[in-house]
Amino acid sequence: QVQLVESGGGLVQAGGSLRLSCAASAGAFRIYVMGWYRQAPGKQRELVASITTDFSTNYADSVKGRFTVSRDNAKNTVYLQMNSLKLEDTGVYYCNVQGAIWGGRPYDVWGQGTQVTVLS
């Protein structure tokens, strides 16, 4: 079973930076898309950024130019560098990984979530 471990959330002043990390367990085998979602209080979970196997990226309009998603395939890890943070970036950030285990069975798993709180 593929498991994800997230880290890097916390409190930060508006305008500051944080870096989130999400590592997939060794059983991940083939990882296709790695992404970050967030959920603010009272709102639906939304895509923040994603990155494919060939390093193509996709960003929500609200974070373009401020956030950068990257991945290290050797470490089965995806990162989210968040700069110029705004109050509206506050929320729980979830890592999502889609791939296939040895034998080809696909998986779509979520991390436990990490809280990001931007202070004024």
Side-chain angles (χ1 to χ4, degrees), residues 28-93:
F29 190 54
R30 295 194 185 279
I31 297 176
Y32 302 137
V33 181
M34 308 183 86
W36 291 95
Y37 291 72
R38 68 186 178 192
Q39 187 166 18
K43 294 187 177 181
Q44 290 188 330
R45 191 175 297 187
E46 62 174 356
L47 173 68
V48 176
S50 64
I51 184 167
T52 63
T53 305
D54 61 357
F55 302 99
S56 294
T57 57
N58 182 41
Y59 294 94
D61 288 342
S62 60
V63 307
K64 285 180 180 177
R66 300 189 297 121
F67 290 11
T68 302
V69 62
S70 61
R71 64 190 283 173
D72 184 334
N73 290 333
K75 297 181 179 179
N76 286 351
T77 300
V78 61
Y79 306 96
L80 185 67
Q81 178 66 43
M82 303 185 293
N83 299 328
S84 301
L85 282 160
K86 303 177 180 180
L87 297 179
E88 52 264 41
D89 294 318
T90 294
V92 179
Y93 284 68

Side-chain angles (χ1 to χ4, degrees), residues 96-120:
N96 174 259
V97 173
Q98 300 168 35
I101 62 173
W102 180 263
R105 185 171 58 170
Y107 60 82
D108 184 341
V109 296
W110 293 86
Q112 78 279 9
T114 186
Q115 177 70 43
V116 172
T117 302
V118 183
L119 306 172
S120 60

